[in-house]
Amino acid sequence: MSVTTVFGGVSNVLVSDGTTSLLVDGFFSRPSFPRLMLGRLRPDVTRIEDALARFDVDHLDAVLVSHSHADHALDAPVVADRTGAELGGSASTRMIATGYGLDRVPFRELHDRESFAVGAFTVTPLHALHSDGDAVPGEITEPVTLPARMRDFRTGGCSSFLFEHPDGSVLVHPTANFIPGSFAGLHADTVYLGAGAAGAKPTGWIEQYWQETVGTLRPSVVRPVHWDAFWRPLDRPLRPLPKKLDRLDVTMRAFTRLAGADGVDLRLPTLWQRETVSGRSVS
């Protein structure tokens, strides 16, 4: 069986072998910018159903939340409930599900390097750092009731996810930051690499970020994620974050140069396009 991936905007990545399907985050409602900043939020079931249809899945085995900001976790409990999935995340993620009245959804609290099996996959959460400028830091200590404000969705724990399978491995690293040496000894064939806010950093930082992630993991394929304006609905073309927030052009120039030197297949992922992960041995 082949391992495939599908990108669904922001850091939503579906990883599947045709039998087991695992989704990172699952944020599809994408409220407008004014509503995100000033209004009250709730999951949009129509947009969630449309996205699941584009993924071509009606069942998921797990929905894994990288951290509990609204642009990652707003929809996750609803997605898990509608697809029969286990929800995984931090204690803050659990507070979101509880506030939604979805305690019936099976929940797994995730901890750094505590691997678990789902079908033929071994899933390993890896402690990560949010990119600089975290606007809503801290833990969620009370249930999040709907409608909620963006500030109610605090970061909680922050994780990357390594999916290992006999036919290929995938790492989803949603936020553009790194912990020196944290990926030492690990390998992934495909890396979904957080790009948001990296373009505001000096070139030297971007080079170090690449080395600590791609240089260490030695993938053959890299697809940047979390670069799109996450308040635009998914039935419209994706657009980069505004230049006052990020410079995707700066990031991609640096990534392109580094990928060329390392022999890596680099491009922005295409929305809803299924890609096959090619496993390879690494000496």
Side-chain angles (χ1 to χ4, degrees), residues 4 37 41 53 57 65 105-106 123 128 149 194 198 207 244 261 270 273:
T4 63
M37 295 298 105
L41 313 176
V57 294
V65 176
V105 174
V123 181
R149 296 190 184 276
E207 292 173 348
K244 64 182 179 181
T270 301
Q273 182 180 84

Side-chain angles (χ1 to χ4, degrees), residues 45 48 52 58-60 62-63 75-87 97 100-106:
V45 173
I48 290 170
L52 292 173
D58 54 16
H59 172 77
L60 293 169
V63 175
D75 298 337
V78 176
V79 173
D81 187 47
R82 298 185 78 84
T83 59
E86 179 180 65
L87 179 65
Y100 288 11
L102 291 177
D103 279 333
R104 64 178 176 267
V105 174

Side-chain angles (χ1 to χ4, degrees), residues 210-223:
W210 179 274
Q211 183 56 41
E212 290 285 350
T213 53
V214 179
T216 300
L217 294 162
R218 292 175 289 171
S220 54
V221 172
V222 171
R223 300 290 182 251

Side-chain angles (χ1 to χ4, degrees), residues 61-264:
D61 294 275
V63 175
L64 305 170
V65 176
S66 59
H67 61 279
S68 293
H69 283 170
D71 58 328
H72 297 263
L74 174 67
D75 298 337
V78 176
V79 173
D81 187 47
R82 298 185 78 84
T83 59
E86 179 180 65
L87 179 65
S90 68
S92 293
T93 307
R94 186 193 290 270
M95 286 291 102
I96 299 172
T98 297
Y100 288 11
L102 291 177
D103 279 333
R104 64 178 176 267
V105 174
F107 185 81
R108 180 190 296 269
E109 188 166 326
L110 304 178
H111 299 282
D112 182 35
R113 294 184 181 256
E114 289 189 5
S115 302
F116 55 96
V118 188
F121 287 95
T122 298
V123 181
T124 305
L126 299 162
H127 175 58
L129 297 178
H130 195 275
S131 55
D132 288 350
D134 185 344
V136 197
E139 304 287 334
I140 302 173
T141 57
E142 299 291 336
V144 176
T145 57
L146 296 172
R149 296 190 184 276
M150 189 169 72
R151 65 172 179 262
D152 297 324
F153 294 88
R154 296 188 174 275
T155 313
C158 195
S159 295
S160 302
F161 299 108
L162 177 62
F163 303 93
E164 296 176 292
H165 187 281
D167 293 318
S169 55
V170 179
L171 184 127
V172 181
H173 182 68
T175 60
N177 210 336
F178 62 90
I179 301 169
S182 66
F183 292 156
L186 302 178
H187 165 67
D189 298 303
T190 294
V191 171
Y192 282 84
L193 184 64
K201 292 285 195 176
T203 299
W205 186 94
I206 297 174
E207 292 173 348
Q208 187 178 4
Y209 175 49
W210 179 274
Q211 183 56 41
E212 290 285 350
T213 53
V214 179
T216 300
L217 294 162
R218 292 175 289 171
S220 54
V221 172
V222 171
R223 300 290 182 251
V225 293
H226 211 336
W227 49 267
D228 56 304
F230 49 82
W231 48 86
R232 289 173 56 89
L234 288 171
D235 59 1
R236 299 172 64 188
L238 298 183
R239 294 285 184 265
L241 290 166
K243 289 186 176 180
K244 64 182 179 181
L245 299 177
D246 188 26
R247 289 294 303 269
L248 181 63
D249 55 333
V250 171
T251 302
M252 289 303 293
R253 278 199 298 272
F255 280 4
T256 299
R257 173 173 52 82
L258 295 162
D262 289 346
V264 171

